[in-house]
């Protein structure tokens, strides 16, 4: 993969003229690292949530709000402005700002003692983590050639995968080693171990922000209309791509819905049904999610490139439909009676779900013009959070309550994951047909 060939289609926008030359490969690595940190800071609440509930007395519904709605609501408000910023302004500065916001939110999470304060803290972390994706994908697309873009997007996905797996792994390890409280003389009073983990993640995000100062803004590729347009004109132009974009967004959202529900409620299933504690599964869950994610981005990158090579852009979406279909039966992981069965199906669900998401993101970068990519990816992030995170976790608890399952969320979790997976397969197939129908007119 030739990541070291910098595109030269337009003058590069840089943060500083005095900075040394930087290879595209190094730049993509920094962008992937930013996604890794933001994803880890957001995901680390999952292995800590049972401890948090016990410490603060939160209910399942409150935790689902912290994990979902806290991110979805503010992201819905900022998505359109964010997309415009990605398409029109310096993306590296935007990325640094989001990383700093994530650091502040992680620190506030560690110090929160009430639901409203915790809700605000998770809003900051969640919005920063998810809002970084459009900027990161836009940067990576301009640092690579279209034919290799699936693999480059896979590298960004690798950062997200390591973030989720690393959050589980390090949280499980730290909970066993950190003392339950800090010396009052340190100025932080008495902190539970889950709060200390949050503070450590906050410090890590601050260090990451300093590293991102090395990142330079690349030239923009594949611009259809160089002139700056108003929001109304942009939306009109975006609507011209609706036959492909709408089902593509639905497919990506549905994949995220199944994965989000699994990520958030896997830990309660392990503790309530399989009677494990965070220290028992933190390490192997981290390794499982990391391994599944690594394989997922590899499968997504390779399958996407193969699909595009043999079928063009429609073949790329066909590959997404195939891997989404493979994920469908894995939604039954909560019903497994053994830890091994649970782990095997959960890992497979994450593997194929990650692959489908990687290919879907790559499809946006090759089917949507540069000046519309930021706003398109922001729409994915917004609706993905509103439905995937804002609705999916709460939908599981709602189904459990209505159907009389109570705290036993295994069947509701499987039902939500199965339905979302089937919808994703259908949506990717619709997008594939739309691209195929448009191809003769574009040649």
């Amino acid at each position: 993969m030739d990541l070291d060939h910098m595109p030269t289609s337009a003058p590069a926008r840089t943060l500083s003229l005095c900075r040394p030359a930087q290879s595209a490969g190094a730049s993509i690595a920094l962008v992937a690292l930013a996604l890794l940190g933001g994803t880890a800071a957001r995901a680390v609440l999952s292995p800590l949530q049972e401890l948090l509930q016990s410490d603060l007395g939160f209910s399942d519904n409150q935790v689902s709000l912290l994990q979902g709605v806290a991110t979805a609501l503010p992201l819905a408000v900022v998505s359109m402005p964010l997309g415009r910023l990605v398409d029109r302004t310096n993306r590296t500065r935007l990325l640094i700002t989001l990383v700093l916001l994530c650091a502040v939110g992680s620190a506030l999470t560690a110090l929160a003692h009430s639901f409203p304060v915790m809700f605000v803290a998770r809003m900051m972390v969640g919005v920063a983590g998810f809002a970084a994706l459009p900027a990161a994908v836009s940067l990576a697309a301009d640092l690579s050639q279209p034919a290799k873009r699936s693999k480059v997007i896979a590298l960004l996905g690798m950062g997200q995968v390591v973030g989720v797996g690393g959050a589980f792994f390090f949280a499980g390890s730290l909970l066993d080693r950190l003392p339950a409280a800090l010396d009052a003389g340190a100025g932080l009073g008495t902190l539970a171990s889950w709060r200390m983990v949050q503070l450590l993640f906050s410090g890590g995000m601050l260090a990451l922000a300093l590293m991102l100062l090395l990142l330079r803004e690349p030239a923009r590729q594949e611009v259809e209309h160089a002139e700056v347009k108003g929001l109304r004109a942009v939306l009109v132009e975006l609507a011209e791509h609706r036959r492909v974009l709408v089902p593509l967004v639905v497919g990506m959202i549905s994949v995220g819905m199944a994965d989000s529900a699994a990520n958030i409620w896997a830990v309660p299933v392990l503790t309530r049904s399989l009677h494990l504690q965070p220290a028992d599964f933190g390490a192997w869950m981290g390794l499982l999610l990391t391994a599944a994610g690594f394989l997922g981005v590899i499968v997504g990158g390779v399958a996407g490139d193969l699909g595009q090579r043999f079928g063009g852009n429609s073949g790329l979406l066909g590959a997404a439909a195939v891997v989404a279909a493979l994920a469908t039966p894995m939604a039954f992981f909560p019903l497994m009676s053994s830890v091994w069965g649970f782990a095997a199906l959960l890992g497979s669900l994450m593997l194929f779900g990650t692959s489908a998401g990687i290919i879907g993101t790559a499809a946006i970068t090759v089917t949507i013009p540069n000046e519309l990519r930021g706003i398109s990816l922001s729409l994915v992030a917004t609706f993905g959070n509103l439905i995937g995170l804002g609705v999916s976790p709460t939908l599981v608890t709602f189904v459990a309550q209505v159907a009389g399952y109570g705290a036993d969320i295994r069947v509701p979790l499987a039902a939500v994951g199965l339905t979302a997976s089937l919808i994703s397969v259908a949506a990717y197939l619709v997008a594939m047909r739309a691209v195929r129908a448009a191809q003769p007119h574009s040649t």
Side-chain angles (χ1 to χ4, degrees):
M1 182 164 50
D2 184 16
L3 295 180
D4 291 324
H5 177 67
M6 284 288 289
T8 58
S9 59
R13 299 183 180 97
T14 62
L15 290 177
S16 174
L17 295 176
C18 63
R19 291 186 180 178
Q22 184 181 63
S23 71
S27 296
I28 291 173
L30 282 172
V31 172
L33 188 61
L35 287 183
L36 185 157
T39 303
R42 175 176 51 83
V44 74
L45 194 66
S46 291
L48 303 176
Q49 70 184 40
E50 292 290 285
L51 296 177
L52 180 150
Q53 282 186 266
S54 176
D55 190 17
L56 298 178
F58 291 169
S59 67
D60 281 351
N61 282 334
Q62 286 178 307
V63 170
S64 70
L65 292 174
L66 291 176
Q67 295 274 52
V69 176
T71 300
L73 288 181
L75 190 57
V77 175
V78 304
S79 63
M80 295 295 284
L82 174 68
R84 295 283 279 166
L85 286 174
V86 171
D87 290 332
R88 298 176 59 181
T89 65
N90 190 296
R91 295 160 290 182
T92 59
R93 293 173 183 168
L94 176 61
L95 202 57
I96 293 170
T97 301
L98 292 171
V99 169
L100 289 174
L101 179 64
C102 191
V104 174
S106 296
L108 187 59
T109 298
L111 302 177
H113 288 275
S114 66
F115 181 77
V117 175
M118 183 69 75
F119 192 86
V120 171
R122 300 319 296 174
M123 283 173 58
M124 297 170 69
V125 174
V127 168
F130 280 105
L133 182 60
V137 171
S138 179
L139 282 167
D142 286 333
L143 289 163
S144 61
Q145 300 303 319
K148 300 178 182 293
R149 206 155 282 166
S150 289
K151 291 180 181 178
V152 172
I153 300 301
L155 287 177
L156 297 188
M158 204 70 84
Q160 292 180 295
V161 165
V162 174
V164 174
F168 274 87
F169 181 82
F170 286 110
S173 301
L174 289 171
L175 287 174
D176 256 352
R177 292 171 173 79
L178 286 173
L182 288 172
D183 190 310
L188 293 174
T190 300
L191 290 180
S193 54
W194 70 267
R195 295 181 183 274
M196 297 176 66
V197 172
Q198 290 288 339
L199 281 180
L200 288 174
F201 271 81
S202 176
M205 296 305 293
L206 288 174
L208 179 57
L210 292 176
M211 295 178 63
L212 288 174
L213 292 175
L214 299 173
L215 186 63
R216 298 192 306 167
E217 182 78 2
R220 293 182 183 267
Q221 297 190 71
E222 302 145 1
V223 178
E224 279 192 356
H225 303 288
E227 72 273 12
V228 176
K229 295 184 177 182
L231 180 59
R232 181 182 178 86
V234 168
L235 293 177
V236 170
E237 188 176 347
L238 191 65
E240 296 175 359
H241 300 271
R242 64 186 180 278
R243 294 186 183 277
V244 174
L245 187 59
V246 171
L248 179 53
V249 170
V250 170
M252 295 178 68
I253 289 172
S254 300
V255 167
M257 185 175 180
D259 288 355
S260 296
N263 266 319
I264 290 172
W265 293 116
V267 169
V269 171
L270 284 172
T271 56
R272 300 172 190 178
S273 301
L274 297 177
H275 311 294
L276 300 180
Q277 297 301 314
D280 299 327
F281 60 77
W284 67 257
M285 272 283 284
L287 291 174
L288 172 71
L289 294 177
T290 301
F294 266 113
L295 289 174
V297 296
I298 292 172
V299 170
V302 173
D305 279 355
L306 287 175
Q308 190 170 33
R309 181 182 304 171
F310 294 107
N313 292 344
S314 64
L316 181 63
L317 287 162
V322 170
V323 294
L326 292 173
T328 300
M330 308 308 166
F332 291 105
F333 78 92
L335 305 181
M336 296 298 101
S337 58
S338 69
V339 174
W340 287 109
F342 176 97
L345 290 192
L346 176 62
S348 298
L349 176 69
M350 294 301 169
L351 188 159
F352 294 122
T354 299
S355 299
I358 290 292
I359 300 172
T361 303
I364 287 181
T365 69
V366 297
T367 59
I368 305 299
N370 192 305
E371 65 271 20
L372 298 176
R373 285 177 192 161
I375 199 166
S376 299
L377 291 165
S378 292
L379 287 173
V380 173
T382 299
F383 288 106
N385 279 279
L386 283 173
I387 300 174
L389 282 178
V391 174
S392 178
T394 305
L395 182 60
V396 172
T397 59
F398 175 77
V399 172
Q401 292 170 0
V402 170
Y405 287 98
D408 186 357
I409 58 172
R410 291 175 295 173
V411 172
L413 177 56
V416 169
L418 179 64
T419 303
S421 296
L422 290 172
I423 292 173
S424 70
V425 175
Y428 279 130
L429 289 174
V430 172
M432 179 187 71
R433 292 183 62 183
V435 169
R436 183 175 295 166
Q439 281 177 341
H441 303 288
S442 61
T443 57

